[in-house]
Amino acid sequence: MPVPSSFLAFDGRWVVVTGASSGLGRAVAVELAGLGAGVVLVGRHAGRLAETAALLGNAAHRTLELDLVEHARIVPAITQLRQDVGPLYGLCHAAGVVETRPLPANTVDTLRKQFDINLFAGLELARAVCRRDVLAAEGGSLVFISSVYGRVGMPGQTGYCATKGAVAAAVRALAIELARRQVRVNCISPGLVHTEMTRQSLALLSKEHVDKLEAAHPLGPGKPEDVGRAAAFLLAPGSRWITGADLAVDGGYTAQ
Amino acid sequence: MGEQEGPLAAAIMNIEQALEWIAEVFEESPGRIVTTTLRKEIPGWDSLGTLSLIAALDERFDIHLSEQDIEGMQGVGDLFEILRRQGALQGA
């Protein structure tokens, strides 16, 4: 696959992508592969990871079957990965779950399920990738997928909103802490993007509600590749002076 | 609940184990840390690294460093002295 010569070129640097089985994670992986990155596809199901791998052409890649709820497995798995492919450069934490529940049904357990994946797994992955014996000596780049719901509210999404707001807050703290090691940390806040996860979530809503939600995006709903391109931009070594940013990729949803 | 003095017996380390543990705390490759390694020779032992060390000593050995301990640590040798004093390290 021809690699464009630009500041977006990754020149073989390895990036770990979670949620790579589908949706935003898959789109990020495809984009990175096209820009010359080695991509580590992380997900729970080998079959679906293989489907993503098939989209990467001849790009260097590995698949890593990992249930991110099992936090204790993350550091050993990433450490082993470093033995296999060499120093790692980046991480994109795109794995996420959403539970649509009004307050009376929003128990600590349902909140915790969302925090386990959306926040805690991401931070544990950051801890694993940024180990001094894992990360490339030149530094690296981390991107977390937050959400517009980390910025604005939505009925039934208290837990999801809380996790995504926490992601954005953690990203700012990490950006400051890791700058001394030339590690950049940013997040993306996507608006409504049609993926399998949002399809399931929207299925709970009336058609009128969905239409209204789509209409609230001045540029209309997004596509996974819209987020994939933004993630590649923030991850790229050439974006060397961007850290602590929360980039809205939402078709104008939060600009109103 | 009675007071517990020093680390649990299961947590007591020999020299080799202590060096491995320190390497893990500062995310160094095992073998790169020796008894004479100085703090300034360990990239991860900056001010944030010291916080990681404080947390690790607390979690694993229930050791709480004094300000004097923290200021006085110039290398692995000083850290070993603290571990010995607290009964967490055995061996010459």
Side-chain angles (χ1 to χ4, degrees), chain B residues 19-71:
Chain B
L19 290 172
E20 280 180 18
W21 177 75
I22 294 168
E24 179 63 24
V25 169
F26 295 119
E27 300 177 345
E28 287 289 346
S29 304
R32 220 188 74 75
I33 306 285
V34 297
T35 55
T36 55
T37 303
L38 297 174
R39 175 177 173 166
K40 64 185 179 187
E41 295 169 326
I42 302 175
W45 198 346
D46 55 9
S47 56
L48 286 171
T50 299
L51 294 178
S52 294
L53 175 62
I54 291 169
L57 284 166
D58 181 11
E59 284 169 17
R60 176 151 177 182
F61 303 111
D62 198 23
I63 291 175
H64 303 275
L65 297 181
S66 67
E67 284 182 30
Q68 203 175 8
D69 286 334
I70 294 166
E71 287 172 11

Side-chain angles (χ1 to χ4, degrees), chain A residues 6-223:
Chain A
S6 81
F7 75 95
L8 289 175
F10 281 77
D11 298 322
R13 292 174 175 85
W14 282 91
V15 180
V16 175
V17 180
T18 68
S21 298
S22 63
L24 302 186
R26 175 175 284 176
V28 172
V30 168
E31 199 66 37
L32 290 173
L35 293 167
V39 186
V40 181
L41 308 170
V42 181
R44 279 177 298 172
H45 305 294
R48 297 179 70 186
L49 290 175
E51 290 172 15
T52 301
L55 301 173
L56 304 183
N58 295 323
H61 68 273
R62 296 286 188 281
T63 57
L64 178 57
E65 265 183 86
L66 193 59
D67 186 345
L68 294 175
V69 171
E70 298 177 53
H71 298 145
R73 288 189 58 204
I74 291 175
V75 168
I78 296 296
T79 303
Q80 181 59 51
L81 187 66
R82 190 255 179 264
Q83 301 301 320
D84 295 343
V85 304
L88 303 180
Y89 171 77
L91 163 70
C92 180
H93 182 49
V97 293
V98 58
E99 292 248 358
T100 303
R101 286 171 182 252
L103 185 59
N106 224 349
T107 64
V108 169
D109 277 348
T110 57
L111 293 170
R112 189 173 286 132
K113 279 180 190 167
Q114 294 172 90
F115 272 100
D116 272 345
I117 296 291
N118 300 358
L119 180 68
F120 300 149
L123 294 180
E124 187 64 2
L125 281 153
R127 195 168 77 88
V129 169
C130 290
R131 285 180 57 94
R132 287 173 189 275
D133 50 4
V134 172
L135 193 74
E138 65 172 326
S141 180
L142 317 180
V143 167
F144 291 74
I145 303 298
S146 180
S147 168
V148 290
Y149 291 154
R151 301 179 175 197
V152 300
M154 177 59 67
Q157 300 294 353
T158 304
Y160 188 72
C161 289
T163 65
K164 294 302 188 177
V167 165
V171 159
R172 287 189 287 272
L174 280 179
I176 303 301
E177 179 171 329
L178 297 174
R180 70 195 68 198
R181 294 179 55 202
Q182 301 301 312
V183 178
R184 299 181 299 105
V185 190
N186 297 287
C187 67
I188 293 171
S189 288
L192 176 60
V193 178
H194 284 304
T195 65
E196 180 59 24
M197 188 177 89
T198 55
R199 189 193 65 73
Q200 289 176 6
S201 182
L202 294 177
L204 302 172
L205 307 176
S206 67
K207 183 176 184 309
E208 290 74 23
H209 194 147
V210 174
D211 289 346
K212 195 174 164 188
L213 194 56
E214 291 188 350
H217 292 70
L219 290 177
K223 297 177 180 177

